[in-house]
Amino acid sequence: HSYQPTREVAQSCETGAATNIIYGLALGYKSVIIPVFLLAFVVYFSFTILDMFGVSLAALGMLGTLATCLSIDVYGPVCDNAGGIAEMAGFPEEVREKTDALDAAGNTTAAIGKGFAIGSACLVGLALFGAFVKRSNLGQKDVSLLSPVIFAALLVGAMIPYWFSAMTMKSVGLAANEMVKEVVRQFESIPGLLTGEPGHAPADHARCIEISTNASLREMVPPGILVMSTPIITGVVFGNAAVAGLLAGAISSSVQMAISASNTGGAWDNAKKYVEKGCVYVDGVQQPKGSEIHKAAVVGDTVGDPLKDTSGPALNIVMKLMAILSLVFADFFLSINSGHGLINRE
């Protein structure tokens, strides 16, 4: 929270959670501009020099930063867990302040790591897209946007990340509802647990962990089926050219949604920490933890968690998995009506 954009999001909490949400979303959308321009330049420059081989080398170059990305991604959760342990153990307030500062830095490093992961996923997906086009014997005329099938598939592909994100975010909401109900049940059924009275019965942590793990496995099945079945159904029914349009739409849409979701969630999280640090003033009055401004910041942080921790990172998998499946099934698509699909008689 050392930079102005996050501080603006924190200050927007002065007028409630709604303006906090608006500022956070605007910040996330704005954060897409520079990365997309850079990716577009890399794709254009590498393709101009070495065709799709150049794009593949660019992807390998970004993947070469894997060790650094893993390090900075791990940094944030370690600091976050350290802060939680310090709070539960009853450490002095200054310890929690230090871990909060480290956690805020961890959100920033995680956003950087996610940016590299998104960029590499985009380039890898584009390289696999080139391999699919080559494998399918498609020329430039075959994948022209003037074809209604290609343009329709492009629109559907651009929609897939939104459908996928809706499913994953709703899954987080369902799991959270179940978890909250379980916590309330334990507070009501175990005397003294809520107030922290000495000698109360222990909380059933295992049940909460079971809810979380079961939901994470159960709720990921529908999004997985969506991503894996879409290119296969499109190739079988409409042919290889339609799959090319589908992949182009999915990659271009996913990379922008992923960047926006990751940065929006991180900004809301750091804005909340900025408020908790006591750095937000309204008419000269400090707004501490527990104030109305802090409550609005907590709402933004709660909304941002599924964005930056679930939907955003998962879109990397959408880009790569759809491209890999299309490449693997390219010969199968070619065997159906010479690659034109079941209903496309071109």
Side-chain angles (χ1 to χ4, degrees):
H1 45 61
S2 300
Y3 298 96
Q4 191 60 31
T6 301
R7 294 185 177 187
E8 286 181 357
V9 174
Q11 195 66 44
S12 71
C13 297
E14 177 183 353
T15 48
T19 47
N20 181 30
I21 299 294
I22 292 170
Y23 269 69
L25 288 174
L27 175 61
Y29 295 151
K30 190 177 180 181
S31 70
V32 172
I33 299 172
I34 294 177
V36 167
F37 271 122
L38 290 174
L39 279 172
F41 172 76
V42 168
V43 170
Y44 178 81
F45 184 74
S46 58
F47 187 86
T48 301
I49 295 177
L50 292 171
D51 206 76
M52 288 306 298
F53 180 65
V55 177
S56 302
L57 290 180
L60 284 174
M62 290 202 73
L63 289 172
T65 62
L66 177 63
T68 304
C69 291
L70 286 176
S71 298
I72 61 178
D73 275 340
V74 169
Y75 174 82
V78 169
C79 295
D80 194 4
N81 287 351
I85 292 171
E87 188 170 10
M88 289 186 291
F91 280 18
E93 187 64 27
E94 58 266 21
V95 175
R96 183 60 181 172
E97 290 176 2
K98 293 176 182 177
T99 56
D100 280 346
L102 292 172
D103 187 25
N107 285 329
T108 305
T109 59
I112 295 171
K114 289 170 185 174
F116 274 93
I118 294 164
S120 64
C122 174
L123 294 175
V124 169
L126 186 56
L128 291 170
F129 169 79
F132 169 77
V133 171
K134 186 72 174 177
R135 186 84 174 181
S136 302
N137 300 322
L138 295 172
Q140 290 187 357
K141 292 183 179 180
D142 298 320
V143 291
S144 171
L145 287 178
L146 296 177
S147 167
V149 173
I150 302 299
F151 193 77
L154 182 76
L155 291 177
V156 173
M159 174 273 299
I160 293 298
Y162 290 89
W163 191 358
F164 178 87
S165 297
M167 296 172 77
T168 54
M169 290 187 69
K170 187 176 180 181
S171 296
V172 173
L174 291 172
N177 276 334
E178 194 174 349
M179 182 75 75
V180 169
K181 291 177 181 178
E182 173 61 23
V183 171
V184 170
R185 184 195 68 79
Q186 292 192 30
F187 280 151
E188 292 175 348
S189 61
I190 303 177
L193 179 61
L194 180 60
T195 57
E197 296 176 6
H200 66 75
D204 188 2
H205 300 105
R207 174 57 185 156
C208 294
I209 296 172
E210 181 184 357
I211 291 172
S212 179
T213 52
N214 287 347
S216 67
L217 296 172
R218 182 181 66 249
E219 295 296 333
M220 285 303 103
V221 173
I225 293 174
L226 170 68
V227 174
M228 290 187 288
S229 63
T230 303
I232 296 175
I233 293 174
T234 303
V236 170
V237 178
F238 299 102
N240 278 351
V243 176
L246 183 82
L247 293 179
I251 292 172
S252 60
S253 180
S254 291
V255 66
Q256 299 181 66
M257 279 199 71
I259 295 171
S260 173
S262 298
N263 290 336
T264 295
W268 276 327
D269 194 349
N270 281 356
K272 183 197 71 171
K273 289 180 171 59
Y274 189 66
V275 174
E276 290 176 345
K277 194 178 177 182
C279 297
V280 175
Y281 291 81
V282 177
D283 298 328
V285 179
Q286 187 184 45
Q287 302 297 312
K289 189 174 182 178
S291 63
E292 290 301 317
I293 283 186
H294 178 249
K295 293 177 182 177
V298 170
V299 171
D301 180 38
T302 306
V303 175
D305 279 340
L307 283 173
K308 70 181 177 68
D309 296 328
T310 305
S311 298
L315 287 172
N316 299 335
I317 303 170
V318 172
M319 287 185 270
K320 291 185 279 192
L321 184 58
M322 288 183 69
I324 290 173
L325 282 172
S326 301
L327 179 59
V328 169
F329 282 90
D331 290 336
F332 173 63
F333 299 153
L334 272 176
S335 68
I336 301 175
N337 192 21
S338 301
H340 294 303
L342 294 176
I343 66 173
N344 190 8
R345 298 298 177 184
E346 293 183 2

